[in-house]
Amino acid sequence: MPLVTSKEMMEKAYAGGYAIGAFNVNNMEIVQGITEAAKELNSPIILQVSAGARKYANHTYLMKLVEAALEETELPIALHLDHGDTFELCKSCIDGGFTSVMIDGSHHSFEDNIKLTRQVVEYAHARGVVVEGELGRLAGVEDDVNVSEEDATYTRPEEVEEFVEKTGVDSLAIAIGTSHGAFKFKPGQKPQLRFDILEEISRRVPGFPIVLHGASSVVPEYVKMINENGGAMDDAIGIPEDMLRKAAGMAVCKINIDSDLRLAMTGTIRQYFTQYPAHFDPRQYLGPGRASVKQVVAHKIKHVLGSEGKA
Ligand code: G3H
Ligand code: 13P
Ligand code: ZN
């Protein structure tokens, strides 16, 4: 089966009250862990690549890994550019075979965000590729850019209709309190999402697919594993799973998860080296690392996203 766009996936997810998991990929073990879980649970999936991942692993290697996953799983898989920040980067991914791109103009003014997003949509749609835009700013770290809490802003529902109409985007990432990375709330702070904003947005653009970035739960089991094996992540806090399930039952059709995969892999490998300090064959620790990615993705599909059996 060739790569698909996420359009049909998201339409079905909206109607069915579930969400598609969009997982970040950087190497073979991560691609395998994600897609093996999706295959076993017959779930559609979005594999996403950041600019940093593309720099690290190289476009062609990533394309070939994803092609191999398509052949092995025969699942509907979309390949998406995560946080594209320029027209040129989006164009390069579209020309290079991606079926979906994000143009993240959230750091520009509303007018400039519309202009840039429209430019990407025109190029993408003419080539059968779908586009995700962003309104509002999440706190946290992406590609070495650190958005402080003061600079983060919730999405303004009153801007959404105009943005969607003028840009022609296929989905929209919004800011309702999630954030990138493993430290989403301060110690002692009660995790909260602005479901009122999400509700207001879905009232204004009924049926339109919404995307949640920064949606890792920071799985406690793996944070513990990191801390017990020489790491220092005591204050790591994520988004509670029940909040993500609630969002998936509303207008949220795509949920982005990266940090949870990183934590699982790192915790597992740290534990491995505590147990076997003299081992040095990468297969011996990357294998369990891959298995932990698979376990996390299977858990998300079954208990957070609700996409099991929907492929
Ligand atoms: O939102 C950011 C993703 O977690 C990708 O992170 O830019 O470090 O690859 P990265
Ligand atoms: P997390 O850091 O919460 O996994 O978010 C990932 C993300 O939003 C990728 O775009
Ligand atoms: Zn993101």
Side-chain angles (χ1 to χ4, degrees), residues 24 48 82-83 102 104 132 134 138 141-142 173 179-180 211-215 254 256-258:
N24 287 70
Q48 56 188 13
D82 191 26
H83 293 285
M102 175 189 195
D104 180 356
E132 174 185 323
E134 178 165 333
L138 271 69
V141 185
E142 298 155 23
S179 63
H180 292 108
V211 178
L212 267 197
H213 282 248
K254 171 174 178 272
N256 284 14
I257 297 167
D258 186 4

Side-chain angles (χ1 to χ4, degrees), residues 5 94 97-101 120-121 123-131 170:
T5 75
I94 294 165
F98 283 39
T99 53
S100 172
V101 292
V120 173
V121 167
Y123 191 82
H125 283 185
R127 290 154 184 84
V129 170
V130 295
V131 180
D170 303 278

